[in-house]
Amino acid sequence: MTDIPATASRRQADHDRNGRTPEAWKGVAGEGWLRALLIALAVGISGLFLVVPLAVIFAQAFAAGIGGWTSNVVAPDTLHAIGLTILTAIVVVPINIGFGLAAAWAIAKFTFPGRKLLMTVIELPFSISPIVAGVAYLFVYGAQGLLGPTLDAAGIQVMFTIPAIFLVSLFVTSPFVARELVPLMQAQGTDEEEAAITLGASGLKTFLRVTLPNVKWALLYGAILCNARVMGEFGAVSVVSGNIRGQTNTLPLQVELLYNDYNAIGAFAAASTLTVLALVTILAKLIVERRAEGAIRRRGGGH
């Protein structure tokens, strides 16, 4: 006997895979003018507010030709800003990967008092303005701040140096990896880890052979998002770096500095470099998403 609900479900899935509107949505979205209007709005708004500004950046950056763009990008201060931006990402992203893994493992795999409070604290940077984060670090590590006199007595200066950029970038980007891992680890449960430990595996071996492979795509995805935010961060870094030319300027700060100097082509050249870095990050994100979806399909829809 034919299983009518199963057949209908398969037909629905076929419609989804073929890119057509599922039956259940036809009464809501329709096949005609409403769908065309929604698509036109999505494409139009995306083009107007996303594509056109990016196109203007590259058009202005290359207004003086490839030679003008190159001379502005290889200017010493801009080159230093590019290097400092990449260095900040190299330092901050691995630390946040370690922190995110540890925090997610503790929250998802163990039960302890204050677990929900810990998750709320980890997500705090999402709800705090980067400017406020920068000012908070200034009040803690600045000369007149909470630890300022102690640091000064020890001959240590934190604010307006490169380590200050690392510290505030760690704060701003700390939730990205943990936020990707916690829901996944909670959904996976602890059955596989308990089985591995029952078979005699150590805690480290269980983590490396069981936990880490199960979350590798989410981990990589979180790392990519963290990297994108580190490279584009402006507000918090502008407060703690001091905006010293050729010393503590990251690429976003260099763009503003050149623009304020009425060097529009230089500003757009620096902005185009930052945009290329962002596009590379987006491309990496798309590749990771594809690989993760493929891995999920191969495992039959589970993680």
Side-chain angles (χ1 to χ4, degrees), residues 93 97 176-178 180 217-227 288:
V93 174
I97 287 176
F176 283 90
V177 175
E180 290 297 322
W217 294 115
L219 178 64
L220 192 53
Y221 186 77
I224 289 170
L225 293 180
C226 179
N227 181 69
V288 168

Side-chain angles (χ1 to χ4, degrees), residues 99 103 107 114-128 171 174-175 178-179:
F99 167 73
I107 291 171
R115 190 174 63 155
K116 290 184 178 178
L117 177 62
L118 177 60
M119 191 66 225
T120 303
V121 171
I122 289 172
E123 291 181 340
L124 206 56
F126 277 146
S127 57
I128 292 181
F171 175 86
S174 59
R179 199 66 192 88

Side-chain angles (χ1 to χ4, degrees), residues 51-197:
V51 177
V52 171
L54 292 180
V56 168
I57 288 175
F58 285 100
Q60 292 294 325
F62 289 97
I66 186 72
W69 179 86
T70 304
S71 63
N72 279 290
V73 169
V74 299
D77 287 353
T78 302
L79 214 50
H80 181 275
I82 294 171
L84 181 55
T85 303
I86 294 173
L87 176 65
T88 304
I90 290 173
V91 171
V92 170
V93 174
I95 294 175
N96 269 334
I97 287 176
F99 167 73
L101 267 173
W105 204 21
I107 291 171
K109 304 295 183 181
F110 301 98
T111 302
F112 55 89
R115 190 174 63 155
K116 290 184 178 178
L117 177 62
L118 177 60
M119 191 66 225
T120 303
V121 171
I122 289 172
E123 291 181 340
L124 206 56
F126 277 146
S127 57
I128 292 181
S129 164
I131 294 287
V132 175
V135 171
Y137 269 71
L138 196 60
F139 282 131
V140 174
Y141 298 102
Q144 305 300 321
L146 185 64
L147 302 178
T150 305
L151 292 171
D152 189 51
I156 300 173
Q157 181 185 354
V158 176
M159 286 296 102
F160 314 129
T161 64
I162 292 175
I165 297 173
F166 297 160
L167 283 174
V168 81
S169 298
L170 280 170
F171 175 86
V172 172
T173 60
S174 59
F176 283 90
V177 175
R179 199 66 192 88
E180 290 297 322
L181 293 180
V182 169
L184 178 59
M185 284 187 171
Q186 287 177 329
Q188 289 173 344
T190 59
D191 292 348
E192 293 186 27
E193 282 87 353
E194 288 173 0
I197 290 172

Side-chain angles (χ1 to χ4, degrees), residues 262-284:
Y262 301 102
N263 183 357
I265 294 179
F268 280 111
S272 69
T273 306
L274 191 60
T275 305
V276 169
L277 293 174
L279 292 175
V280 170
T281 303
I282 291 172
L283 181 62

Side-chain angles (χ1 to χ4, degrees), residues 29-67:
E31 288 282 1
W33 66 270
L34 183 55
R35 189 177 66 168
L37 177 63
L38 291 173
I39 293 172
L41 279 174
V43 173
I45 291 173
S46 299
L48 186 61
F49 293 107
L50 299 177
V51 177
V52 171
L54 292 180
V56 168
I57 288 175
F58 285 100
Q60 292 294 325
F62 289 97
I66 186 72

